[in-house]
Amino acid sequence: MVKVMVLGSINVDTILQLSRVAVPGETLAVNEKSNAAGGKGANQAVAAARAGADTAFIGKVGKDDLGNKMLKTLQKNNIDTTHIAEDKKHGTGSATILVYGDGQNNILVYGGANQEVTLTEVKAAKSQIAASDFLITQFETPQEDAVLAFQIAKENHVTTILNPAPASEISPDLLKVTDLIIPNETESATLTGIEVTDEASMDANAAKFREMGVKNLIITIGDKGAYYNTESAGHGFVPAYKVHAVDPTAAGDTFIGALSSQLKPDLSNVKEALMFAQRASSLTVQKLGAMPSIPTLAEINAAQEKDEEK
């Protein structure tokens, strides 16, 4: 079984369904309201665990009811929460997700306890990081934590995966210890300065990331698919499955978690793992909410079998 460790955010999401985007100064009725567990880190961990990976987590919640709820939720998903700390001063992270009638969304995030993860807490997880196959992180916790965690991982031959979301300036020290970077097309363009429009521009993005110190790249491009460029498997494009999208929230997180559950540490099977990840995320977008929409291994396999029968 693949061992995955995630350093990342833990949020409680409020999902508001609206017919369209409000214009400045307008009051717009909300059609439906719901709450769900979320956070990019937590979503990725749950996706990995549900897809069959042995999963552990480094993070922080507030010492509040929401934090307690999130710990129980992660534990119910068979995630090791030993290295999730509690913060007495800051509340558990939260996000408000606005979902529109056309299936698009906007997300407003309150970092809270996620921004208070310390280097000491990362160091405390050193032995578990060292025992992992993959270490994944994003940008919803401090970058200095990511740098230290990735340095520990590299010292112990653990493959590191960076999801640079939300896109921001990346520390050169973090890039030096990143094996695989997985941005979407907007994030990739923001970080490289090269707009993603076709395969040639994707190749140019990969070349730029190599200059920055990262040798392996996957760019997710929504309902079109995913581009890969790796040392062991070359480069190519895997198209997405065509489905009716209801809510894209957590589609990218599902993709990354599911991908990690199938990848070999040397990334040699990246194309096959991408196909699995694409199938998982195609199931996620067909349901509302973040964590509730993430599929299980049985659901992913059943969808793949159904597709093969056609």
Side-chain angles (χ1 to χ4, degrees):
M1 183 182 291
V2 174
K3 291 186 177 181
V4 175
M5 192 153 205
V6 178
L7 163 62
S9 56
I10 301 170
N11 291 336
V12 175
D13 296 341
T14 297
I15 303 114
L16 305 178
Q17 291 181 259
L18 302 96
S19 57
R20 57 177 174 79
V21 179
V23 299
E26 180 184 20
T27 299
L28 192 63
V30 172
N31 298 328
E32 296 288 344
K33 176 183 176 181
S34 59
N35 294 292
K40 293 192 70 64
N43 291 338
Q44 290 171 13
V46 167
R50 289 183 184 173
D54 181 350
T55 310
F57 202 94
I58 305 170
K60 184 170 277 188
V61 294
K63 194 171 180 62
D64 49 33
D65 291 341
L66 292 178
N68 187 49
K69 177 182 177 181
M70 288 302 301
L71 285 172
K72 289 181 178 178
T73 296
L74 293 174
Q75 290 161 0
K76 285 179 181 177
N77 281 278
N78 301 311
I79 294 169
D80 185 340
T81 61
T82 301
H83 297 291
I84 298 178
E86 290 185 328
D87 192 299
K88 295 179 180 179
K89 294 183 179 179
H90 301 84
T92 298
S94 63
T96 300
I97 302 169
L98 309 179
V99 181
Y100 306 110
D102 61 359
Q104 298 301 307
N105 69 359
N106 290 117
I107 304 176
L108 311 174
V109 178
Y110 162 67
N114 294 313
Q115 295 299 315
E116 304 304 320
V117 179
T118 68
L119 296 176
T120 299
E121 289 156 355
V122 173
K123 290 176 184 177
K126 182 175 181 177
S127 61
Q128 200 157 5
I129 292 173
S132 302
D133 294 304
F134 295 97
L135 175 63
I136 304 171
T137 197
Q138 328 76 34
F139 285 162
E140 290 187 341
T141 50
Q143 273 199 48
E144 63 178 4
D145 296 330
V147 172
L148 176 59
F150 273 26
Q151 287 172 341
I152 293 170
K154 294 311 298 171
E155 289 168 2
N156 292 278
H157 310 291
V158 176
T159 302
T160 56
I161 300 176
L162 174 62
N163 172 215
S168 63
E169 186 176 345
I170 306 179
S171 163
D173 290 335
L174 181 57
L175 291 170
K176 290 176 185 176
V177 284
T178 296
D179 291 313
L180 171 63
I181 190 165
I182 310 180
N184 62 26
E185 72 271 35
T186 302
E187 293 156 353
S188 190
T190 297
L191 296 169
T192 64
I194 303 170
E195 186 179 358
V196 176
T197 55
D198 54 20
E199 190 163 345
S201 65
M202 296 177 207
D203 291 340
N205 270 263
K208 184 64 176 180
F209 275 117
R210 283 194 294 272
E211 287 179 18
M212 296 163 70
V214 185
K215 297 178 180 178
N216 303 290
L217 167 70
I218 293 172
I219 304 175
T220 57
I221 309 180
D223 60 2
K224 293 182 177 64
Y227 165 86
Y228 66 92
N229 193 311
T230 68
E231 286 190 304
S232 58
H235 65 94
F237 194 87
V238 177
Y241 293 92
K242 300 302 180 183
V243 298
H244 174 64
V246 175
D247 178 9
T249 306
D253 296 332
T254 298
F255 177 92
I256 290 169
L259 180 80
S260 70
S261 76
Q262 304 299 308
L263 266 179
K264 294 179 180 178
D266 65 359
L267 312 182
S268 59
N269 68 331
V270 65
K271 186 173 181 179
E272 293 78 11
L274 278 172
M275 293 174 68
F276 180 90
Q278 292 278 33
R279 170 53 74 195
S281 59
S282 77
L283 295 173
T284 294
V285 301
Q286 296 179 67
K287 296 180 181 179
L288 280 174
M291 210 170 283
S293 68
I294 297 172
T296 63
L297 179 60
E299 290 171 331
I300 299 167
N301 288 338
Q304 287 181 319
E305 289 172 7
K306 186 176 180 180
D307 216 46
E308 291 169 0
E309 291 174 358
K310 292 180 179 179

